[in-house]
Amino acid sequence: MALKCLIIEDDLNTSANIKEVLSTAFPTIEVIGLAATIAETQNILEVETPDFVLSDINLGDEVIFDFLKSFKKVPFKIIFITAYSKYAVDAFKFSALDFIEKPFEDETLIAAVKNAIANLNLEQYHKQMEAFFYNYNSAQKNKKLVLKNLEEVHIVPVSEILFVKSDNNYSEFHTTDRRKIVVSKSLKFYEEQLKGYSFFRSHQSYLVNLNFAKTFHKTDSVLELTNGEQIAVAGSKTQVLLHKLAQLH
Amino acid sequence: MKNSALLFFFFSTVATLLAQTDNASVDNYLNLAKTHSTSKQDSAVYYSNLAYSVALKTKDTSLIGQAGYFHSYYLIQSGAYDEAEKLLDFNITHAANMSDRVLGSTHYSYGNRYYTEEVYDKALEHYLQGLSFYREANNKQGLSRTNLQLGVVYDKLGKKELAGFFYEQSLRYSERARQMHTTKITRGSDSTSQNIEVSKAMLQELEKEPNNRIKANVLFNLGKSYFEGKQWQNAAAYFQKSYALKTELGVAEHLDKNLFYIGQSYLELGQLESAIAYLSLATNVSKKRNQKVMIETALQQAYEKSGEYQKALHYAKRVTRMKDSLNTLRENDRIAEITSQFETEKQAGEIKVLEANSLLKDVKLNNQKNILFAIAIGVLLLLSSLFFAYNRHKTKQQLQFSEMTRKLLQMQLNPHFLFNALNGIQFFIKQNDTKKSSRYISNFSGLMRNILENSVEKFISIEEDAETISDFLALQQLVHNNAFTFSITMDENLDPQVYAIPPMFTQPFVENAIIHGVRGVKNGHILVNYSLEGDVIKIEIKDNGKGIVTKNKDANTLHKSMGTSITKQRMENLLKTENYPITLEVVSSKEENVDHGTQVTLTFIKKYI
């Protein structure tokens, strides 16, 4: 069964290029149309329903998000394309949405499409979209992190994460409401993502939210959190931790 | 005389037996001398001499000293200075054996001796020495009279303040001194008529008594009062009476002065012959230099008036010589020295009082100092805070400028546009269109270079600005798939290499012309024209697009609004800091749904690079 794909891009050269790359790399994908504006997009969607969409964010004066908000549940997966939009990129990352940045290599495009079509289940997708809109429009400190595994999509406000524990290539999130969420992404990935927040990599296996730090037991090299949880602190991190704790309040 | 000789004999014999009787005899003689002193000067000297002789025989230095002092006292009054001096010197050389009282008296007498001769420096010296001995002996009488004499001397020297001080001191020791003081004070005061009355009353009182020194003095005072009252006739009469009485009593004291006043009175009366006679007598008698000067000055005047110029000149010369004599000068120096010495002592006492006062003042002064200090600190603080405020203001301005430069750069380097441009270039590379790829890369690098270089300049040439706009428009064309055309024109009278404008003023308006003008419009065209009109440089950016609308919050609109706000801010800043005004005119029209596009006109003052 062929997968239907819609390309929304106001730069005709780019959309032509994308179409060519797709048809070469994925014989099973059928490009159902090239739209340059939202109006053109609507026209196409009236006739057909794509399995996934490749969409530029800025279409002339228009922004694709305005159009996407009109759906209660977006009926297709989207790979966003952007030339530059720091806010959007940050929001994509937090919401675990697929995106590529211009100018891009053919391989980047191919990898993004592969990843998207691997799971076209839309059951939880609207949650992700909601989180995205929330993150895109809200102030930086109140972001919501989308944690996605095979079974579920969890939306966790950053301010409610107690700590993240590493287990091989999995990351285990512990939240204030006592949830434990396991995600198949490395701790390193989240450490990067949560930079600029009050998270601290206290140990090879721990990323801890210092907002919940209660006591630091120097002798045991253990950081006690407000919920009583004990977090290991590597000897080499002691000084940095003390410095950060002093800065905190 | 025989009587006294017998007495002398009697006492001297007894004196060999008993020192006690010697003492008594000495006292006796001295009492005799005292009783005669007011009437008969000679007798007083005689008796005191007897007392002295008796004292000598006892070989009691203390008694000798005492008697010697009394004897010298009378000797001085009768004008036998040399003899008196010997006795006094004896006392001084045997000071070790003398009581403080005798020594005080000795110096007092010495002072009197010099005072009568008007040798004031020496007089002061002795009086002051006498004073210290009397103080040791706690002799009130001595203290009183010595202080009084010191007051008189300083009065004569014109040092009224010091004189007053000694008069005060004197009064502390004696009631009698108070009386003497008052008479001394009334003397010389201006109530002449009152003085005359007092003197006359005193004279009447003295009528009943035999002639004595006091009567002579009162007569003299009366004369002086008349003299001061310019009643020359009366003055002359009383001075003469006083003189006659003094000669009768054998009083040598102030004879010269008396004679001088008689002469002076006659001089005033115009009786020159009598005047000259008395004055001549006076100058012969007088041993006092100052008195002599006065006498001879009067003599000179008298001779002058009587037409005897030769003699007048003679006395004039003498007077000047006396006046200028080194002695006088020395004496004045000595007086000053002694006075200052005394004053130091006196001040030492006062210093203590002053110290207490100054301590009080110090406290006050310290308070004032503290207040002054506080004020100074306050002023300093104010100044420094002003300085820091100014500095802060300056840094704030600098910060604002650099912040603006940064924003400007960000605005020029619109990342959305740049990445889109790169995306466009990448497309041509993929297409193997080397010609276009290479052209756009050079546009891209040209734009980058200009933006980076120009952002730090305050002014750039028109040529540079036009180049930047050209690269920019070429890349925009690429991004927008050649959806519009553009042209950049330059008026012939405008030399683009000569004139200058601030950088990055044109670009935001050109960008707006694309995004809000020609984008999505068929046959869109953008015209940028540089021209020189009189004193201004004009840049027109014209498009045939949609006119100004849109409210979308995409990256581009955000960017655009930032662009215009920064441009406005820059315009304000340039006006403030460089006095460089820029005007902006935007004309956008829609008539009967027909777009006429937008025309932006920037006007700059003509400026050379």
Side-chain angles (χ1 to χ4, degrees):
Chain A
M1 188 192 151
L3 290 171
K4 290 180 192 169
C5 170
L6 172 63
I7 299 168
I8 308 169
E9 168 62 78
D10 63 340
D11 180 7
L12 302 180
N13 287 338
T14 305
S15 55
N17 180 44
I18 291 169
K19 190 185 175 184
E20 199 188 312
V21 171
L22 285 184
S23 49
T24 316
F26 304 96
T28 56
I29 290 173
E30 182 203 344
V31 177
I32 57 164
L34 302 178
T37 63
I38 286 173
E40 284 175 27
T41 308
Q42 280 172 324
N43 288 338
I44 292 167
L45 287 177
E46 273 173 24
V47 189
E48 302 231 32
T49 307
D51 293 302
F52 73 99
V53 171
L54 276 154
S55 175
D56 193 3
I57 293 172
N58 297 297
L59 304 166
D61 291 347
E62 300 165 324
V63 182
I64 195 70
F65 302 139
D66 296 339
F67 169 65
L68 293 178
K69 275 180 199 166
S70 62
F71 292 96
K72 201 178 177 191
K73 285 184 180 177
V74 181
F76 40 77
K77 277 235 160 152
I78 310 162
I79 299 167
F80 292 99
I81 304 166
T82 178
Y84 180 86
S85 180
K86 199 175 178 299
Y87 292 114
V89 168
D90 280 351
F92 290 142
K93 284 181 180 170
F94 265 80
S95 315
L97 291 175
D98 302 309
F99 69 98
I100 48 177
E101 287 174 287
K102 280 187 197 171
F104 51 83
E105 303 251 334
D106 294 350
E107 289 72 31
T108 315
L109 175 64
I110 291 163
V113 172
K114 267 185 183 168
N115 188 47
I117 60 178
N119 180 14
L120 286 175
N121 182 6
L122 289 174
E123 215 173 288
Q124 308 274 352
Y125 196 60
H126 67 280
K127 282 191 189 170
Q128 264 173 280
M129 285 305 288
E130 265 173 37
F132 168 77
F133 287 129
Y134 173 82
N135 288 338
Y136 183 63
N137 291 313
S138 70
Q140 203 188 9
K141 294 289 164 197
N142 290 322
K143 294 254 154 114
K144 282 178 179 176
L145 193 62
V146 174
L147 300 173
K148 218 169 60 165
N149 51 33
L150 283 173
E151 304 89 40
E152 295 152 317
V153 171
H154 297 272
I155 315 293
V156 183
V158 172
S159 60
E160 288 176 19
I161 300 166
L162 284 168
F163 66 96
V164 191
K165 193 182 167 194
S166 152
D167 187 5
N168 291 322
N169 268 331
Y170 292 88
S171 293
E172 195 178 278
F173 281 78
H174 293 252
T175 62
T176 48
D177 54 356
R178 292 162 188 248
R179 276 190 292 171
K180 206 197 269 182
I181 303 156
V182 181
V183 196
S184 64
K185 275 189 172 134
S186 69
L187 191 59
K188 178 94 189 149
F189 175 86
Y190 288 110
E191 187 188 354
E192 285 292 317
Q193 189 130 127
L194 293 168
K195 245 181 202 161
Y197 295 89
S198 49
F199 285 86
F200 177 64
R201 184 80 180 260
S202 69
H203 187 269
Q204 203 189 336
S205 312
Y206 285 99
L207 184 67
V208 60
N209 189 346
L210 293 180
N211 285 334
F212 295 107
K214 188 182 161 195
T215 322
F216 176 47
H217 301 286
K218 272 190 191 176
T219 43
D220 311 333
S221 252
V222 162
L223 184 68
E224 193 184 323
L225 301 187
T226 47
N227 70 337
E229 195 85 40
Q230 310 238 316
I231 306 294
V233 178
S236 58
K237 301 280 186 142
T238 310
Q239 288 307 314
V240 192
L241 174 63
L242 285 170
H243 179 69
K244 289 223 169 198
L245 285 172
Q247 271 186 334
L248 212 57
H249 292 296
Chain B
M1 281 285 262
K2 276 177 189 172
N3 209 8
S4 36
L6 273 170
L7 262 169
F8 167 61
F9 180 74
F10 171 74
F11 277 115
S12 58
T13 44
V14 179
T16 47
L17 299 170
L18 273 169
Q20 200 74 34
T21 37
D22 279 343
N23 279 352
S25 66
V26 170
D27 282 348
N28 214 344
Y29 284 132
L30 288 178
N31 279 335
L32 278 168
K34 207 173 176 182
T35 46
H36 283 87
S37 71
T38 45
S39 51
K40 275 267 178 193
Q41 204 68 38
D42 287 346
S43 314
V45 172
Y46 174 75
Y47 285 117
S48 66
N49 190 28
L50 280 179
Y52 180 64
S53 307
V54 174
L56 272 179
K57 280 185 183 150
T58 64
K59 291 188 180 155
D60 178 348
T61 24
S62 164
L63 196 65
I64 294 167
Q66 214 174 327
Y69 150 67
F70 277 107
H71 188 40
S72 74
Y73 181 84
Y74 297 116
L75 283 171
I76 288 164
Q77 283 202 339
S78 58
Y81 297 136
D82 292 344
E83 217 175 315
E85 223 170 283
K86 273 179 204 162
L87 296 171
L88 293 171
D89 283 341
F90 174 85
N91 286 2
I92 290 166
T93 48
H94 293 86
N97 295 318
M98 300 293 162
S99 69
D100 283 333
R101 185 185 160 182
V102 170
L103 283 171
S105 302
T106 304
H107 282 293
Y108 174 72
S109 270
Y110 236 132
N112 281 349
R113 174 242 186 280
Y114 283 117
Y115 167 70
T116 44
E117 265 193 312
E118 295 188 356
V119 184
Y120 292 133
D121 59 334
K122 286 191 173 164
L124 283 175
E125 206 171 11
H126 284 290
Y127 282 140
L128 286 168
Q129 279 185 38
L131 205 62
S132 60
F133 284 117
Y134 277 136
R135 217 174 277 138
E136 285 294 312
N138 199 18
N139 184 314
K140 281 191 183 171
Q141 198 197 348
L143 282 169
S144 166
R145 65 183 179 187
T146 313
N147 272 312
L148 186 69
Q149 277 308 108
L150 277 163
V152 171
V153 173
Y154 276 117
D155 216 348
K156 295 222 164 165
L157 290 170
K159 294 186 190 299
K160 298 283 173 203
E161 214 179 307
L162 269 171
F165 169 77
F166 284 111
Y167 284 144
E168 287 294 318
Q169 292 287 310
S170 170
L171 288 179
R172 279 175 54 196
Y173 296 110
S174 139
E175 227 1 78
R176 189 167 156 267
R178 189 185 292 281
Q179 285 172 352
M180 280 177 79
H181 171 62
T182 40
T183 55
K184 295 240 185 218
I185 294 301
T186 46
R187 281 248 41 76
S189 79
D190 48 12
S191 52
T192 312
S193 52
Q194 204 186 328
N195 280 341
I196 291 169
E197 274 176 40
V198 171
S199 296
K200 275 186 174 170
M202 279 173 82
L203 216 54
Q204 274 182 348
E205 285 289 313
L206 291 170
E207 281 299 326
K208 297 155 196 164
E209 290 181 30
N211 285 348
N212 57 21
R213 274 167 54 107
I214 296 169
K215 200 170 173 181
N217 279 339
V218 172
L219 283 168
F220 177 81
N221 279 350
L222 196 55
K224 193 123 186 250
S225 296
Y226 279 121
F227 186 82
E228 273 158 16
K230 295 189 176 169
Q231 301 180 34
W232 312 120
Q233 200 77 52
N234 284 335
Y238 280 104
F239 282 134
Q240 268 183 330
K241 276 184 188 172
S242 172
Y243 176 63
L245 191 58
K246 276 180 190 172
T247 25
E248 187 193 318
L249 293 169
V251 175
E253 202 182 8
H254 297 323
L255 267 182
D256 54 343
K257 201 177 187 175
N258 212 326
L259 284 165
F260 161 71
Y261 275 114
I262 298 166
Q264 188 74 35
S265 301
Y266 280 123
L267 184 61
E268 294 289 351
L269 285 166
Q271 300 177 15
L272 298 176
E273 264 181 53
S274 308
I276 290 169
Y278 279 108
L279 288 171
S280 300
L281 201 58
T283 193
N284 285 338
V285 171
S286 182
K287 283 173 186 165
K288 306 169 193 168
R289 271 172 301 146
N290 287 356
Q291 188 71 66
K292 244 185 152 89
V293 169
M294 284 169 80
I295 295 164
E296 295 195 5
T297 309
L299 258 175
Q300 176 215 328
Q301 285 172 353
Y303 279 121
E304 226 173 81
K305 279 188 182 165
S306 63
E308 295 176 67
Y309 296 114
Q310 190 93 35
K311 285 189 177 166
L313 190 66
H314 167 75
Y315 281 108
K317 276 180 184 170
R318 277 175 63 115
V319 165
T320 29
R321 208 186 311 132
M322 280 191 286
K323 269 188 182 167
D324 294 348
S325 79
L326 208 60
N327 269 343
T328 318
L329 292 174
R330 266 199 204 133
E331 190 183 305
N332 286 338
D333 284 350
R334 291 261 302 142
I335 287 168
E337 197 187 313
I338 292 159
T339 306
S340 75
Q341 231 172 28
F342 165 75
E343 277 182 336
T344 349
E345 280 169 32
K346 184 184 140 201
Q347 276 160 10
E350 285 169 2
I351 279 167
K352 275 184 189 166
V353 181
L354 286 174
E355 267 173 2
N357 281 342
S358 72
L359 206 71
L360 206 75
K361 275 182 192 162
D362 273 356
V363 173
K364 276 186 190 168
L365 218 69
N366 260 342
N367 277 343
Q368 282 175 338
K369 262 185 197 167
N370 284 343
I371 290 165
L372 269 176
F373 190 66
I375 289 169
I377 293 270
V379 168
L380 209 73
L381 276 174
L382 194 76
L383 283 176
S384 53
S385 64
L386 278 174
F387 173 75
F388 285 122
Y390 172 74
N391 252 11
R392 235 182 71 133
H393 175 72
K394 236 176 132 180
T395 5
K396 213 173 157 186
Q397 263 190 342
Q398 280 173 343
L399 210 74
Q400 234 174 19
F401 180 75
S402 58
E403 172 71 358
M404 209 149 66
T405 315
R406 191 185 64 77
K407 276 186 182 166
L408 193 63
L409 205 64
Q410 212 176 20
M411 178 182 83
Q412 301 297 120
L413 293 168
N414 176 358
H416 188 258
F417 160 68
L418 292 178
F419 287 115
N420 269 322
L422 286 170
N423 193 58
I425 295 166
Q426 193 190 40
F427 175 76
F428 290 112
I429 294 167
K430 280 178 182 167
Q431 300 285 308
N432 278 328
D433 192 338
T434 39
K435 212 177 165 187
K436 276 188 182 166
S437 304
S438 147
R439 198 184 83 207
Y440 285 125
I441 284 173
S442 77
N443 281 147
F444 192 87
S445 55
L447 180 66
M448 286 303 236
R449 191 176 300 113
N450 276 330
I451 285 170
L452 293 174
E453 282 174 5
N454 295 347
S455 63
V456 292
E457 299 290 336
K458 281 206 164 154
F459 289 92
I460 56 161
S461 70
I462 299 284
E463 188 182 37
E464 283 173 301
D465 194 66
E467 272 173 13
T468 311
I469 296 303
S470 175
D471 284 333
F472 180 68
L473 278 167
L475 286 171
Q476 285 283 6
Q477 251 184 341
L478 164 70
V479 168
H480 292 96
N481 303 308
N482 290 308
F484 65 90
T485 52
F486 72 89
S487 52
I488 297 169
T489 55
M490 194 86 58
D491 274 13
E492 274 180 25
N493 58 346
L494 180 74
D495 186 338
Q497 290 179 326
V498 168
Y499 297 104
I501 53 161
M504 303 179 201
F505 257 94
T506 325
Q507 198 195 332
F509 297 102
V510 172
E511 193 175 8
N512 283 347
I514 297 161
I515 296 167
H516 307 295
V518 298
R519 193 159 68 180
V521 171
K522 276 192 178 172
N523 301 318
H525 185 77
I526 290 171
L527 170 70
V528 181
N529 183 50
Y530 296 84
S531 63
L532 183 69
E533 284 179 25
D535 279 344
V536 296
I537 295 165
K538 268 191 178 174
I539 303 175
E540 291 160 308
I541 302 124
K542 221 186 257 184
D543 69 66
N544 58 351
K546 292 172 279 193
I548 304 162
V549 249
T550 359
K551 277 173 192 168
N552 275 324
K553 183 202 161 185
D554 71 44
N556 270 325
T557 31
L558 257 171
H559 187 78
K560 171 242 150 190
S561 60
M562 186 170 83
T564 39
S565 74
I566 290 168
T567 304
K568 272 184 187 160
Q569 222 179 316
R570 287 183 70 209
M571 281 164 72
E572 281 168 20
N573 252 33
L574 278 163
L575 185 63
K576 255 194 273 177
T577 59
E578 311 270 320
N579 198 20
Y580 182 88
I582 301 165
T583 58
L584 167 66
E585 192 191 352
V586 182
V587 181
S588 187
S589 58
K590 256 187 180 178
E591 281 174 28
E592 297 163 15
N593 278 340
V594 178
D595 291 332
H596 288 264
T598 305
Q599 180 175 336
V600 174
T601 310
L602 287 162
T603 314
F604 305 90
I605 292 176
K606 189 168 81 180
K607 192 178 166 77
Y608 300 95
I609 194 82

